[in-house]
Amino acid sequence: MRRSVFITGLAAALVLGMGVLGTGQKSSVASAQEKMSTMEVKIDNFSFGPVTLTVPVGTTVTWINRDDIPHTVVSTDDSKTFKSKVLDTDEKFSFTFSKAGTYPYFCSIHPKMTGKVIVQ
Amino acid sequence: MHPFDMKTVLFAKHAQHVVLIHFPIALFIIGVLFDFLAQWKKQRLLAAAAYYNLLVAAIATIPVVITGILAWQWELEGQKLKGILLMHLVMGCASSVLICVVWFIHMRTRRKQEEVLPGYRLPIEAVAVVIVALTGHLGGFLSGVNGPG
């Protein structure tokens, strides 16, 4: 009788432990996916950082202006895939890349400021 | 960008507004300097030099204002400006008006063949120089002359 109670208890503990571990794994996978789906480009000292960003399809890239000067984020292609308004200090602009390809962009106020997003 | 596209000609890499702005600034400040010297030394030659500097400065403001407004309308699609950009626009317009007002005062005196220029022009010129300098400072800040590269 005691033995069967012990085995039942052990089995319950194992099932519970596996459940907890499974939930942990799920949450870590979810946070990894979240990390992958949003990336940040910092604008500071008249440059984009990182200059070249490689992301998977479906990623949302957020540009944040940490400079004292207003900047814009405008894609170089003729169709202007994305174009932000003028971003003052600490303002953000986001764009979700739904197609693979290379997306060069620049700041229309300071054309020397360029960057690139590679979507794979 | 197409090399023969008007927007490219005006704004690509060497933004024309940034280049052209140096002419009215330099001519106006030198013109005012000549005018103050003419007043102090009582020399007609210096007054004439001041007049022609102010005349060309007033003319040079026209393409500067046009390219500045076109940059706003084309590059920024005429969006509502704020902060430094708005301040630069307002002070730039004020500078252009003041440069033209100073030139007009000189021109009217010459046209009326009056011997003496009105004394009230001197404080107007001094204020105009300060506003032009501040506008240029903001423009330099915006264009990133202190930035890398």
Side-chain angles (χ1 to χ4, degrees):
Chain A
M1 180 67 186
R2 271 188 188 174
R3 199 176 169 185
S4 64
V5 169
F6 174 74
I7 290 167
T8 311
L10 192 68
L14 273 170
V15 168
L16 206 69
M18 281 170 75
V20 168
L21 276 173
T23 315
Q25 270 181 338
K26 267 182 195 170
S27 69
S28 68
V29 168
S31 70
Q33 277 176 343
E34 207 170 89
K35 263 185 189 174
M36 278 178 69
S37 63
T38 55
M39 297 292 270
E40 196 175 276
V41 175
K42 200 166 76 172
I43 306 170
D44 197 11
N45 198 24
F46 291 91
S47 57
F48 295 103
V51 175
T52 303
L53 183 69
T54 306
V55 296
V57 174
T59 303
T60 299
V61 177
T62 300
W63 287 263
I64 180 159
N65 183 11
R66 296 290 188 205
D67 213 343
D68 300 330
I69 309 294
H71 293 291
T72 62
V73 179
V74 182
S75 65
T76 312
D77 56 317
D78 289 335
S79 59
K80 295 275 183 284
T81 309
F82 53 91
K83 185 169 189 170
S84 76
K85 65 178 184 66
V86 177
L87 303 173
D88 270 337
T89 304
D90 293 334
E91 282 188 337
K92 293 176 182 180
F93 167 71
S94 296
F95 183 79
T96 304
F97 293 89
S98 53
K99 280 183 189 172
T102 302
Y103 298 85
Y105 63 89
F106 73 116
C107 167
S108 58
I109 304 173
H110 311 102
K112 279 185 180 177
M113 283 175 64
T114 57
K116 196 191 290 177
V117 177
I118 299 167
V119 184
Q120 292 173 335
Chain B
M1 282 181 158
H2 194 277
F4 295 104
D5 173 55
M6 189 51 77
K7 289 183 184 180
T8 307
V9 171
L10 284 171
F11 304 116
K13 303 289 180 190
H14 301 283
Q16 300 308 303
H17 178 73
V18 178
V19 175
L20 293 170
I21 189 58
H22 294 90
F23 292 95
I25 291 175
L27 288 162
F28 181 69
I29 291 173
I30 291 295
V32 169
L33 184 70
F34 279 151
D35 193 32
F36 273 72
L37 281 173
Q39 181 79 11
W40 181 37
K41 298 281 185 186
K42 308 285 180 206
Q43 281 196 22
R44 278 173 178 264
L45 199 61
L46 282 170
Y51 173 75
Y52 287 109
N53 271 281
L54 294 172
L55 168 66
V56 183
I59 293 168
T61 59
I62 297 166
V64 169
V65 170
I66 290 170
T67 50
I69 288 172
L70 285 179
W72 172 31
Q73 293 300 313
W74 283 348
E75 292 298 295
L76 304 178
E77 294 182 342
Q79 63 181 271
K80 198 177 176 184
L81 298 180
K82 54 184 177 177
I84 301 171
L85 279 167
L86 178 63
M87 211 187 293
H88 180 67
L89 174 72
V90 171
M91 291 186 78
C93 291
S95 299
S96 301
V97 169
L98 281 167
I99 289 171
C100 292
V101 164
V102 169
W103 164 74
F104 182 76
I105 294 167
H106 282 254
M107 187 271 291
R108 200 179 58 174
T109 308
R110 285 173 74 91
R111 189 171 278 181
K112 285 184 177 175
Q113 294 182 329
E114 288 174 9
E115 283 292 314
V116 185
L117 280 156
Y120 64 80
R121 81 187 188 285
L122 296 173
I124 294 174
E125 287 175 359
V127 168
V129 166
V130 171
I131 292 177
V132 166
L134 284 173
T135 309
H137 173 65
L138 287 177
F141 202 59
L142 280 170
S143 66
V145 286
N146 298 322

